[in-house]
Amino acid sequence: MFYLGTAKKASKEMQVDWSAVYQQRLEQTKDERLRSFYEAGVVSPDTPISQVSFVAVDFETTGFDPQKDGIVSIGLVPFNLQRIQCQGAKHWIVRPRTVLAEDSVVIHGITHSDIKSAPDFMRVLEHLLKALEGKIVVVHHRGIERPFLDVALQKRINEGILFPVVDTMELEARVHRNKPLSIWQRFRGHSLPSIRLVDSRERYNLPYYRQHNALTDALATAELFLAQVSYRFSKDTPIQELWK
Amino acid sequence: MQIEPVEVLDFLRRYPPFSCLPEEVLGQVVSEIEVGYFKADTQILELGQQVNALHVIRSGAVDIHRRNGELYNKLTEGGFFGEFGLLRDGKIRFPAKAIEDTLLYFVPSALFHRLFDEYEEFADAVEIEDRTRLRQAVARKEDANELMTSKVTSLISRELVSICTDATVHDAATCMTEASISSLLIVYPPEHPKKDYIAGIITDRDLRTRVVAEQLPYSTPVTDIMTEELITIESNQFVFEAMLAMLRHNLHHLPVIHKEKPIGVIAISDIIRYESQNSLFVVSNIFRQTTVDDLAALVTDVRASFVRMVNEDANSRMIGSAMAVIGRSFKQRLLELGEEQLGPPPVPYCFLALGSMARDEMLIVTDQDNAMILDDAFDPKLHDDYFKALAQFVSDGLDACGYTYCTGKIMATNPQWRQPRKVWQGYFDQWIDNPSPEGLLHSSIFFDLEGVWGQTEWAEQLNKHIVKKARQSKRFLACMSRNALNRTPPLGFFKDFVMEQDGRQNNTINMKRRGTAPLADLVRVHSLAIGSTERNSFLRLNDIIEADILPRGRGQDLRDALELISMVRIRHQALSLEKNETPDNSIAPEDLSEFERKNLKDAFQILSNAQKFMKFRYQGAR
């Protein structure tokens, strides 16, 4: 399983030097928007999370494969450890280059006609990167947002993007998936607790939200992160313990 | 394109003070909202801290404390706090602590003030949120009364019996005999285009007059003798409309139609049975019974009439006084029967009703509180055997009719409460002139007193005497108010428990002991203080409001609180009766709707505040 593997590796994994990555990409990039993004830089690894500006991001996509599928909507909401700021919240619907499959329509409720009138991803890219600039991105399940954004850029401007993310699903897995069930537990009918967004939120007594609206999911992720921090970390926890 | 988080918008739309804002303003509010999370047992606001936002609870629970650490309020989803500080000096006056994991929405100070200044409804809702909410809840209920009465469907007592158009009169007669019914609907058969529609009706009378008297063969098709072109009634029409239709057309049977197809037939006997549950009918029935056993047999009718009034959305005053009239009638009829048995009384007397019956606030679960005033010529040696026997007869009879013996022995069978006029006057003089809380502990019930039989004018004279004396005795009022504080309301209601003022949690609450009784006590103290001659709490409250002794609006609040608590208690008893359970006064919060919980909490808060005010007014600030 994807999260099992990463959770196990977490402690021994080499820390990426994000400042160096940003610096290197800044030198190589030919795109104005990316230049501005990397120029804003990234906080140093030992920064306490109480001093970090975060932004929770959620993409709704036509599927799970960044190579084949496209982004249909983007939601984001900025926050810090004290408060989530709806004021800076953003929500865009974009036109994917791939065809919208019927079943994904059912999931995120975005229809072909919504898409038809939506701008291409490139039209919102500048605003999106501005919203992420200088902030640490928080997502639930990092297999989606970063890869999709990376591929979308590669396809359009022949240049990808890389930045650290905090994955609330992985933070949840650290607690609930850190060791597999014993045979005895399995025999007794135990199963691993779900670390899906809805179930994770429930563990912290956060209210139920309807899923699959990118903005709502971004807000839900931000709230989950605040709850995780107040239960399991402190305001002095350095960001390097959380990001990947 | 929706730019605000839709979950936040939906939430605010549901709760005051935001629910009264126009939609476009609400969108603006959402876009400025901030969100925070507080783990259970963490402090949200400290005393004296600067407050920069209205705090709205999205989920979880928060305790609000007074300066001295006493619990002031407990809030859950939709509750808000911090407004006191925002509207004054920006400093927190009531510290707040999360007692469950809590998600808060913050409405920034500048936005809050803008809304408060620009939208009157928003400001009102913030300032008097608790009280308005309750008032509106009660008002909405009263509006609904006029529209809601019983529908004809409530009279349909059995499944529809019908026969097809191709049957003979013999088939029909057999069918009617088997089902023991006096009328039969004839419907079109399944293959007919008007399948299941009514073709006609036949009755017992038709079989007699159109078949037997005419010497028709039994093989005659039913269609030859049936009545066609029927008068029918729609399932959504009211009982009184059915009655009118039957009267106007002189019908004994009336088919009920739903979506053009018959669903049942109402017979005149159904209407009579329905009417027999009418409380007026019950009363007239009481006076027709000649033995205690016959009276006791009416208990089911009494209960049915109670349930029916509740279902017809009568308010607590209508129900309380109807039940008191019924209770009084039982007493009167029993005294009549007693006098028939024992002979005429040797000296005149007056039989008293006390407590809820005297206040016209009687419900189903109630014990008998009564007493007797005897003529001053009463001589125990000569006369008491008679009155003792009469009191015993009435008391036993009442118990048989569902009014259980009073555990506090406040009954005419107790010699202490079977005394001549002068002794009674002496009792009241003693209570009022030399009051002590202990001495008055069990006698507050005597200050709700009504003559129901015999020389009822004596009761009135006694009442006048009390009213005149009581208002002049500060010590008496102080003692009465102290006793009225013995029973306090709980602080709040949660899904499955009741929060007490000292923080304890209970699983049930006695709505009489903790709600209606302390309210009646409180109203009685004020009413004695202003010399009101009314006995009903609502009427007393009207006098109290007129006398203007309460802070503005509080009298009306008390009226709403009394109505709400009474109705919850009444509905609970009606539900128990419908489920064939023994009705009581104990309510588990989980049996209440979220709406009821919320409003009850407000009502108890009003009672609690009113108790504090009463203490201040009659015992001085201590």
Side-chain angles (χ1 to χ4, degrees):
Chain A
M1 240 188 238
F2 160 77
Y3 19 80
L4 258 179
T6 53
K8 259 187 197 165
K9 272 189 287 173
S11 51
K12 289 174 208 147
E13 219 169 38
M14 278 282 291
Q15 279 283 337
V16 178
D17 182 351
W18 286 107
S19 283
V21 171
Y22 272 44
Q23 194 54 43
Q24 186 193 3
R25 294 241 169 179
L26 177 61
E27 283 157 18
Q28 290 166 356
T29 186
K30 297 179 186 70
D31 187 274
E32 241 351 273
R33 295 160 292 205
L34 284 173
R35 187 188 312 281
S36 164
F37 175 80
Y38 292 124
E39 228 163 28
V42 60
V43 291
S44 70
D46 53 1
T47 313
I49 52 176
S50 59
Q51 287 169 33
V52 175
S53 295
F54 294 99
V55 58
V57 180
D58 185 77
F59 288 1
E60 296 297 318
T61 57
T62 58
F64 297 106
D65 183 348
Q67 295 300 336
K68 283 191 277 177
D69 298 308
I71 302 168
V72 286
S73 68
I74 298 168
L76 62 86
V77 54
F79 68 100
N80 56 40
L81 276 202
Q82 276 74 50
R83 306 218 175 152
I84 300 165
Q85 293 116 11
C86 291
Q87 185 124 55
K90 297 274 190 303
H91 191 197
W92 297 287
I93 291 182
V94 293
R95 191 167 54 224
R97 293 188 171 175
T98 52
V99 187
L100 208 55
E102 281 305 326
D103 51 352
S104 71
V105 172
V106 178
I107 292 177
H108 37 62
I110 292 169
T111 59
H112 296 273
S113 63
D114 288 332
I115 300 282
K116 234 178 238 163
S117 56
D120 182 77
F121 175 73
M122 285 313 283
R123 303 268 298 277
V124 306
L125 179 66
E126 188 179 344
H127 305 288
L128 173 61
L129 290 179
K130 264 276 170 282
L132 306 188
E133 214 171 86
K135 297 193 168 72
I136 298 301
V137 170
V138 178
V139 299
H140 192 78
H141 182 4
R142 63 198 164 104
I144 296 287
E145 284 74 14
R146 190 165 54 185
F148 266 86
L149 185 54
D150 186 41
V151 173
L153 287 182
Q154 279 174 12
K155 282 185 178 165
R156 289 170 175 89
I157 58 172
N158 289 319
E159 187 180 333
I161 186 169
L162 192 58
F163 50 85
V165 297
V166 173
D167 179 359
T168 51
M169 185 161 98
E170 186 256 334
L171 295 183
E172 210 52 16
R174 289 190 196 175
V175 176
H176 297 288
R177 297 284 162 90
N178 57 354
K179 56 171 187 267
L181 292 175
S182 66
I183 290 171
W184 174 244
Q185 281 172 313
R186 268 184 241 168
F187 175 72
R188 296 287 301 269
H190 287 236
S191 60
L192 286 165
S194 163
I195 50 175
R196 289 170 51 231
L197 184 55
V198 170
D199 301 309
S200 301
R201 283 173 59 86
E202 211 183 311
R203 276 193 286 276
Y204 298 93
N205 298 306
L206 286 164
Y208 172 79
Y209 288 170
R210 277 158 295 175
Q211 283 181 281
H212 303 300
N213 166 297
L215 181 53
T216 303
D217 283 358
L219 176 66
T221 304
E223 290 172 0
L224 173 61
F225 180 67
L226 291 188
Q228 288 172 326
V229 168
S230 55
Y231 266 91
R232 308 221 308 269
F233 302 98
S234 85
K235 60 183 176 39
D236 302 321
T237 303
I239 186 68
Q240 63 183 342
E241 284 186 20
L242 305 184
W243 75 15
K244 290 254 161 66
Chain B
M1 176 81 246
Q2 188 72 48
I3 48 147
E4 311 92 10
V6 63
E7 291 284 347
V8 183
L9 187 66
D10 283 352
F11 176 81
L12 291 184
R13 216 184 258 144
R14 289 208 320 264
Y15 289 95
F18 305 97
S19 50
C20 54
L21 292 174
E23 195 67 9
E24 66 276 13
V25 179
L26 215 48
Q28 178 62 29
V29 173
V30 173
S31 69
E32 291 188 39
I33 282 229
E34 300 188 333
V35 187
Y37 180 88
F38 294 84
K39 181 168 85 160
D41 287 325
T42 47
Q43 196 73 28
I44 301 170
L45 290 171
E46 307 270 2
L47 184 67
Q49 182 187 334
Q50 204 65 27
V51 63
N52 53 17
L54 179 74
H55 294 47
V56 184
I57 302 175
R58 173 59 182 87
S59 64
V62 174
D63 272 355
I64 311 290
H65 293 270
R66 288 183 195 282
R67 210 174 277 268
N68 61 8
E70 195 185 313
L71 189 60
Y72 169 69
N73 205 349
K74 206 174 185 66
L75 299 169
T76 49
E77 186 175 313
F80 57 80
F81 55 98
E83 78 276 15
F84 278 108
L86 284 173
L87 291 171
R88 287 174 187 81
D89 49 4
K91 291 233 169 62
I92 282 302
R93 295 154 51 99
F94 298 102
K97 185 177 179 180
I99 49 165
E100 290 170 13
D101 290 339
T102 297
L103 192 67
L104 288 182
Y105 288 166
F106 303 96
V107 180
S109 174
L111 173 62
F112 171 79
H113 281 108
R114 205 162 71 230
L115 296 172
F116 194 85
D117 292 342
E118 281 174 31
Y119 298 95
E120 204 175 322
E121 279 183 72
F122 180 90
D124 287 350
V126 169
E127 280 194 319
I128 43 170
E129 196 248 343
D130 286 354
R131 286 183 288 131
T132 30
R133 199 167 52 196
L134 179 63
R135 173 83 38 79
Q136 283 161 355
V138 173
R140 267 199 303 276
K141 190 105 191 58
E142 280 171 359
D143 288 346
N145 284 348
E146 292 166 31
L147 303 171
M148 309 232 331
T149 16
S150 288
K151 297 285 172 70
V152 285
T153 43
S154 65
L155 294 187
I156 298 174
S157 51
R158 57 152 69 234
E159 270 182 51
L160 179 73
V161 182
S162 62
I163 200 163
C164 285
T165 44
D166 51 12
T168 64
V169 293
H170 180 250
D171 297 334
T174 312
C175 174
M176 288 166 74
T177 307
E178 275 171 9
S180 60
I181 47 176
S182 55
S183 70
L184 185 65
L185 280 188
I186 319 295
V187 297
Y188 291 104
E191 59 277 11
H192 195 278
K194 292 171 97 176
K195 171 181 182 281
D196 291 343
Y197 281 44
I198 300 184
I201 191 171
I202 59 167
T203 65
D204 274 349
R205 188 187 155 91
D206 297 333
L207 291 174
R208 191 172 74 232
T209 57
R210 296 178 192 171
V211 182
V212 182
E214 298 287 327
Q215 294 190 329
L216 291 184
Y218 291 170
S219 56
T220 308
V222 281
T223 45
D224 285 5
I225 65 147
M226 70 183 184
T227 305
E228 292 171 87
E229 287 167 23
L230 294 185
I231 291 166
T232 60
I233 192 155
E234 290 290 327
S235 62
N236 60 359
Q237 285 184 278
F238 295 107
V239 171
F240 77 87
E241 292 178 291
M243 283 173 71
L244 286 180
M246 292 170 96
L247 282 173
R248 189 176 306 133
H249 303 286
N250 190 25
L251 303 170
H252 288 83
H253 300 91
L254 189 63
V256 181
I257 307 294
H258 181 70
K259 292 186 178 160
E260 300 183 43
K261 288 176 186 168
I263 55 168
V265 177
I266 301 171
I268 227 149
S269 57
D270 293 320
I271 300 234
I272 292 170
R273 182 154 33 80
Y274 175 79
E275 275 308 300
S276 72
Q277 295 169 0
N278 185 313
S279 50
L280 286 176
F281 189 88
V282 173
V283 167
S284 72
N285 232 349
I286 289 173
F287 287 102
R288 261 187 266 130
Q289 307 307 316
T290 52
T291 67
V292 174
D293 286 347
D294 291 344
L295 280 174
L298 292 178
V299 171
T300 45
D301 284 354
V302 174
R303 300 192 153 187
S305 76
F306 175 81
V307 171
R308 180 173 148 188
M309 289 186 84
V310 175
N311 289 341
E312 287 177 357
D313 265 326
N315 62 27
S316 79
R317 269 193 67 188
M318 292 159 70
I319 296 170
S321 66
M323 290 300 119
V325 167
I326 289 174
R328 218 172 280 142
S329 306
F330 272 115
K331 252 180 208 169
Q332 290 162 343
R333 183 62 186 147
L334 281 166
L335 284 156
E336 257 175 1
L337 292 175
E339 286 184 19
E340 271 173 29
Q341 217 174 80
L342 300 166
V347 294
Y349 73 101
C350 171
F351 200 86
L352 295 180
L354 305 165
S356 64
M357 188 190 285
R359 290 199 312 271
D360 271 350
E361 290 163 18
M362 204 150 169
L363 300 187
I364 278 293
V365 190
T366 184
D367 53 3
Q368 44 172 301
D369 301 309
N370 52 60
M372 252 186 210
I373 309 178
L374 308 170
D375 191 83
D376 281 340
F378 169 77
D379 179 344
K381 284 192 280 304
L382 293 175
H383 309 133
D384 200 36
D385 284 348
Y386 177 89
F387 289 111
K388 190 178 170 197
L390 183 63
Q392 196 63 51
F393 178 82
V394 174
S395 184
D396 292 347
L398 285 173
D399 185 64
C401 295
Y403 305 89
T404 51
Y405 298 113
C406 172
T407 48
K409 296 273 184 298
I410 296 178
M411 293 183 290
T413 46
N414 180 344
Q416 196 185 355
W417 310 127
R418 189 174 68 238
Q419 292 291 338
R421 295 175 71 185
K422 51 178 190 267
V423 177
W424 275 104
Q425 188 152 338
Y427 284 164
F428 281 100
D429 288 347
Q430 172 69 20
W431 283 329
I432 298 171
D433 295 335
N434 295 305
S436 70
E438 301 73 33
L440 287 170
L441 198 55
H442 302 296
S443 41
S444 66
I445 197 167
F446 291 101
F447 291 87
D448 302 331
L449 154 164
E450 184 198 23
V452 294
W453 185 254
Q455 314 302 117
T456 51
E457 68 276 10
W458 293 352
E460 276 322 296
Q461 285 159 9
L462 206 47
N463 265 328
K464 285 206 182 98
H465 181 69
I466 298 166
V467 163
K468 215 168 82 193
K469 281 185 73 100
R471 62 187 308 186
Q472 288 156 0
S473 170
K474 282 212 162 59
R475 271 182 57 212
F476 166 74
L477 292 173
C479 291
M480 286 291 277
S481 76
R482 198 156 134 198
N483 286 342
L485 289 167
N486 284 344
R487 295 179 284 197
T488 52
L491 186 74
F493 272 88
F494 285 80
K495 278 195 187 63
D496 47 5
F497 65 91
V498 181
M499 179 59 73
E500 301 294 352
Q501 304 208 340
D502 59 8
R504 266 184 313 122
Q505 297 177 3
N506 272 325
N507 295 326
T508 61
I509 173 177
N510 186 311
M511 294 299 283
K512 182 183 179 186
R513 210 159 48 223
R514 309 295 303 282
T516 51
L519 256 169
D521 287 348
L522 177 128
V523 170
R524 185 188 304 111
V525 173
H526 287 309
S527 129
L528 286 168
I530 59 163
S532 165
T533 52
E534 297 291 354
R535 279 187 300 270
N536 179 266
S537 296
F538 288 103
L539 297 178
R540 281 174 169 171
L541 269 170
N542 286 348
D543 283 357
I544 293 165
I545 291 167
E546 197 151 301
D548 207 16
I549 58 167
L550 300 181
R552 181 124 312 157
R554 297 296 153 81
Q556 288 83 343
D557 292 342
L558 279 171
R559 212 157 52 189
D560 294 341
L562 179 59
E563 174 66 19
L564 191 100
I565 298 174
S566 305
M567 279 318 296
V568 168
R569 189 177 155 210
I570 287 170
R571 270 197 297 273
H572 169 71
Q573 295 190 351
L575 269 176
S576 297
L577 286 174
E578 282 185 320
K579 284 194 262 174
N580 275 326
E581 292 164 4
T582 314
D584 58 22
N585 289 312
S586 259
I587 290 193
E590 57 202 2
D591 293 339
L592 296 169
S593 67
E594 176 65 22
F595 179 78
E596 283 176 317
R597 274 199 294 269
K598 214 163 228 150
N599 286 310
L600 269 181
K601 189 178 160 186
D602 295 347
F604 284 127
Q605 189 73 55
I606 287 168
L607 171 55
S608 181
N609 291 340
Q611 286 189 328
K612 290 193 184 93
F613 178 79
M614 174 177 66
K615 186 175 175 188
F616 160 79
R617 187 179 162 89
Y618 299 107
Q619 300 172 49
R622 283 183 220 180

